[in-house]
Amino acid sequence: VSSQVPDVPSWGRTLCCFVHCVQFKDTVLLVVTTIDGLPVYLSNGARNTPVEALRAFFAEQGGLRHGRGPTSMGELRPKTLGCGPLTGFAATDALEVAALHESVVWLPEGPLSKRVCADAVSVVSSIRALTRWSDLPMPTGTTLTPLYRWFRLLLHMVAHAIDSRAASAP
């Protein structure tokens, strides 16, 4: 990160991913992206709040043996996952989120946070702008619904487009 963004604050030097929330009608899906905005994880079902979604993510990751599996993020190192108001969490979630896992870094509001996560926030903001997700119901606890599958396909296509763009860059 420090080579990509000049004057990175100390809390930003270990970050490798950002945790974003996409709000549906009554539920939330969690999307994890790289620093560049490449989607690398979609929560395994919707939850009622961003904090519940993050808690379920850590429970899922902890339950995967040796950090392997189709939804594994590998071993979660300390201070590698950034989240905060810029990624869809409420400012009032800060203490609860920080207490969930040592890998979480709460991104304080301000210009430094905006600069550190600008690419990732731009990608997820573009996904959020596609439609009024908050008008669409996403059933909790299931990945079999057409909307969930469509959303997962959308993230896959976004990741493919970012990879293709990076591969074609000089």
Side-chain angles (χ1 to χ4, degrees):
V1 172
S2 58
S3 63
Q4 294 177 355
V5 181
D7 304 322
V8 172
S10 61
W11 51 260
R13 296 189 199 286
T14 58
L15 290 175
C16 65
C17 293
F18 295 107
V19 181
H20 308 267
C21 295
V22 178
Q23 183 70 49
F24 286 82
K25 188 172 187 174
D26 296 317
T27 56
V28 172
L29 282 179
L30 204 68
V31 177
V32 177
T33 67
T34 63
I35 297 290
D36 299 326
L38 182 76
V40 293
Y41 172 86
L42 173 62
S43 58
N44 192 9
R47 299 294 185 259
N48 293 326
T49 67
V51 174
E52 284 181 29
L54 189 57
R55 187 176 292 116
F57 167 77
F58 288 124
E60 177 185 314
Q61 296 303 304
L64 295 170
R65 191 173 182 190
H66 304 297
R68 295 188 185 105
T71 60
S72 175
M73 293 285 298
E75 186 177 336
L76 295 171
R77 295 182 319 274
K79 301 183 186 299
T80 54
L81 297 173
C83 61
L86 287 172
T87 65
F89 286 81
T92 55
D93 293 337
L95 292 176
E96 192 172 2
V97 165
L100 287 177
H101 198 273
E102 67 181 352
S103 63
V104 174
V105 173
W106 185 260
L107 303 171
E109 293 188 72
L112 286 175
S113 291
K114 286 181 182 176
R115 195 168 67 221
V116 168
C117 61
D119 290 340
V121 168
S122 175
V123 169
V124 176
S125 293
S126 296
I127 291 169
R128 286 185 182 125
L130 289 174
T131 190
R132 295 174 137 198
W133 299 108
S134 59
D135 290 347
L136 301 174
M138 175 67 71
T140 58
T142 181
T143 58
L144 301 176
T145 64
L147 181 58
Y148 180 88
R149 288 178 168 182
W150 183 89
F151 194 79
R152 186 174 60 199
L153 177 62
L154 171 67
L155 290 179
H156 173 76
M157 297 307 293
V158 167
H160 179 70
I162 291 171
D163 277 344
S164 296
R165 185 181 65 200
S168 66

